[in-house]
Amino acid sequence: MDPISCVALATGSFKAIKAAIGAGKDLQEMSGQLAQWGKAFSDFTQLEEREKNPPFWKKTFRGSDEESAILIWNNKRKFEEMRQTIKDEISFVYGPSAWKEVLAIEAQMRKQRKDELYRKQEQVDAAINFAIGALIFVLSGGILFVAFYFLGKWQGRW
């Protein structure tokens, strides 16, 4: 996922959560929306961590660092505002213990996503890094071989 998709998903879930709280729905009835918002928040947090130490192929082929940093900073502020609003609304309507319950569920979901989805992404990044490294190695070896061949031919050694 990219940061823009995470923010769009979180914003949609956030609006649905606010509407559900405003309508007086129970916390359990909003579990789907809370889970969707938590997923988007978790994905964004993972993207932010990944941007701090991007894989080789991403360092090589991405745009400017400043653009990425500003985009992440801006979206991080949006997530923090949404999170604070959700916390305030849930704590006000259902009490502080409900927010603690939400945090416990969120931590469990984040751990599960890290174990499953993010590990797969790390493996994909490692495979791409290996493929690019192997391609560079083969190409540079081929260029070196051709250079020595023509050098030897030019000198009359073969």
Side-chain angles (χ1 to χ4, degrees):
M1 262 192 145
D2 63 310
I4 295 171
S5 299
C6 290
V7 171
L9 181 65
T11 302
S13 298
F14 174 73
K15 288 178 182 176
I17 291 168
K18 279 193 72 163
I21 291 172
K25 288 191 175 181
D26 193 34
L27 191 58
Q28 285 73 24
E29 293 176 30
M30 296 183 300
S31 63
Q33 292 299 325
L34 282 169
Q36 195 173 26
W37 189 87
K39 176 185 165 206
F41 181 73
S42 178
D43 288 346
F44 182 79
T45 304
Q46 178 66 20
L47 284 170
E48 180 184 13
E49 288 298 317
R50 203 166 156 222
E51 283 296 317
K52 290 178 183 175
N53 187 19
F56 170 77
W57 63 270
K58 196 163 187 182
K59 287 179 189 175
T60 307
F61 299 113
R62 73 174 173 184
S64 77
D65 290 335
E66 293 81 13
E67 180 183 348
S68 298
I70 290 171
L71 179 67
I72 287 177
W73 179 82
N74 186 33
N75 290 330
K76 186 175 181 179
R77 297 295 163 243
K78 287 180 186 177
F79 270 106
E80 288 173 359
E81 288 174 13
M82 284 189 264
R83 186 179 179 89
Q84 187 62 42
T85 302
I86 290 172
K87 177 186 177 192
D88 292 344
E89 293 278 338
I90 289 175
S91 295
F92 180 73
V93 175
Y94 303 106
S97 62
W99 180 248
K100 291 179 184 175
E101 188 179 327
V102 169
L103 289 178
I105 293 168
E106 183 182 291
Q108 179 185 3
M109 286 174 38
R110 191 178 309 121
K111 183 183 182 313
Q112 183 180 5
R113 284 186 68 76
K114 185 174 186 175
D115 289 344
E116 296 171 3
L117 190 68
Y118 302 147
R119 191 173 319 269
K120 288 179 186 175
Q121 184 60 43
E122 289 171 3
Q123 290 173 346
V124 168
D125 289 343
I128 291 172
N129 283 344
F130 178 78
I132 290 174
L135 181 67
I136 290 171
F137 179 76
V138 168
L139 285 175
S140 60
I143 290 170
L144 194 61
F145 175 77
V146 168
F148 278 125
Y149 173 77
F150 283 116
L151 180 66
K153 193 168 179 118
W154 180 70
Q155 290 178 348
R157 295 186 182 190
W158 28 74

